[in-house]
Amino acid sequence: MTTKYVKWGEAQVKLTWNRNTKQLPPREQITSVHGYCFMDDKLLLINLRHRGWDFPGGHIEEEETPEECLKREAYEEAYITGSCSLLGYIVVDHNENPNWDENSPYPLIGYQVFYRLDIDQLHDFKAQYESKERALINPENIIRYHHGWDDLYQEILNYALQINTNRDLLEVINS
């Protein structure tokens, strides 16, 4: 479990990675959903118009589950479909943030949920929404693309890659 403090605007916010493949946090406290998307051992990134290279993700819409949210965002931003595995979540803790108030659009304790999405189809890329291009890269090269790459994202990526390795081992054992 990795914890770090980041500056969001003028505020200091505590972020903690919680690897949890069994249980989602409370739905009303999930502020966003993100996915590390893979195809043939390559990591998919999207070039967002206002943020640069990133992985697919976004906010949950009404009556949508976190997994449905990721699948929708992955299609809208990257034009991909696939199957998801829950990795865990980042706890976004504003308890030490003097600028947070109860009228904030974000809860005092919020969660950013992360999935691994295994791509089964790359659809024609139309760039109709936020993204202007997509790329499949070697995961080792992520720091060359992602402008805000940090220890938390790296720990999540390492876990996503480990899950794939464990699946491959199970397939070999069961064959």
Side-chain angles (χ1 to χ4, degrees), residues 103-131:
N103 297 319
S104 171
Y106 297 104
L108 184 62
I109 302 289
Y111 301 93
Q112 297 177 344
V113 175
F114 284 78
Y115 286 91
R116 177 190 167 103
L117 187 144
D118 291 295
I119 301 168
D120 59 28
Q121 189 167 0
L122 285 170
H123 301 272
D124 290 339
F125 188 82
K126 299 175 186 162
Q128 292 177 321
Y129 299 100
E130 303 170 60
S131 56

Side-chain angles (χ1 to χ4, degrees), residues 125-147:
F125 188 82
K126 299 175 186 162
Q128 292 177 321
Y129 299 100
E130 303 170 60
S131 56
K132 54 186 178 180
E133 60 185 315
R134 70 180 175 199
L136 287 164
I137 67 161
N138 181 324
E140 294 175 4
N141 296 331
I142 184 70
I143 201 159
R144 295 182 192 167
Y145 292 85
H146 195 285
H147 65 281

Side-chain angles (χ1 to χ4, degrees), residues 4 12 34 39 42 95 98 102 105 109 113-114 117 130 154 157 159 170 173:
K4 71 180 284 184
Q12 179 171 286
H34 309 276
M39 180 175 230
K42 300 288 186 188
N95 276 300
E102 57 191 42
I109 302 289
V113 175
F114 284 78
L117 187 144
E130 303 170 60
Q154 187 63 50
L157 176 60
Y159 184 51
L170 282 173
I173 291 169

Side-chain angles (χ1 to χ4, degrees), residues 5-175:
Y5 287 86
V6 297
K7 288 285 253 181
W8 283 2
E10 298 299 313
Q12 179 171 286
V13 179
K14 181 179 177 183
L15 305 177
T16 303
W17 167 243
N18 184 341
R19 185 171 79 181
N20 185 336
T21 59
K22 304 268 189 267
Q23 182 177 348
L24 286 167
R27 165 72 171 77
E28 63 277 2
Q29 291 176 271
I30 297 174
T31 59
S32 59
V33 179
H34 309 276
Y36 288 154
C37 306
F38 294 92
M39 180 175 230
D40 300 327
D41 296 324
K42 300 288 186 188
L43 176 65
L44 180 126
L45 292 179
I46 49 173
N47 191 354
L48 297 170
R49 297 186 198 289
H50 303 291
R51 284 199 325 252
W53 290 101
D54 208 343
F55 35 84
H59 299 284
I60 300 176
E61 293 181 355
E62 286 285 324
E63 306 300 320
E64 193 174 51
T65 68
E67 185 174 327
E68 290 167 342
C69 172
L70 175 61
K71 288 180 176 184
R72 176 183 51 77
E73 290 285 350
Y75 187 79
E76 287 176 1
E77 295 175 347
Y79 299 92
I80 61 170
T81 53
S83 57
C84 292
S85 303
L86 179 63
L87 298 172
Y89 46 83
I90 292 176
V91 180
V92 181
D93 185 344
H94 289 275
N95 276 300
E96 298 175 47
N97 173 2
N99 298 329
W100 183 89
D101 71 54
E102 57 191 42
N103 297 319
S104 171
Y106 297 104
L108 184 62
I109 302 289
Y111 301 93
Q112 297 177 344
V113 175
F114 284 78
Y115 286 91
R116 177 190 167 103
L117 187 144
D118 291 295
I119 301 168
D120 59 28
Q121 189 167 0
L122 285 170
H123 301 272
D124 290 339
F125 188 82
K126 299 175 186 162
Q128 292 177 321
Y129 299 100
E130 303 170 60
S131 56
K132 54 186 178 180
E133 60 185 315
R134 70 180 175 199
L136 287 164
I137 67 161
N138 181 324
E140 294 175 4
N141 296 331
I142 184 70
I143 201 159
R144 295 182 192 167
Y145 292 85
H146 195 285
H147 65 281
W149 197 251
D150 62 25
D151 295 343
L152 285 177
Y153 288 154
Q154 187 63 50
E155 186 171 338
I156 300 166
L157 176 60
N158 291 345
Y159 184 51
L161 292 167
Q162 178 187 345
I163 282 177
N164 190 51
T165 300
N166 290 344
R167 278 190 198 137
D168 291 346
L169 286 172
L170 282 173
E171 286 177 16
V172 168
I173 291 169
N174 292 330
S175 60

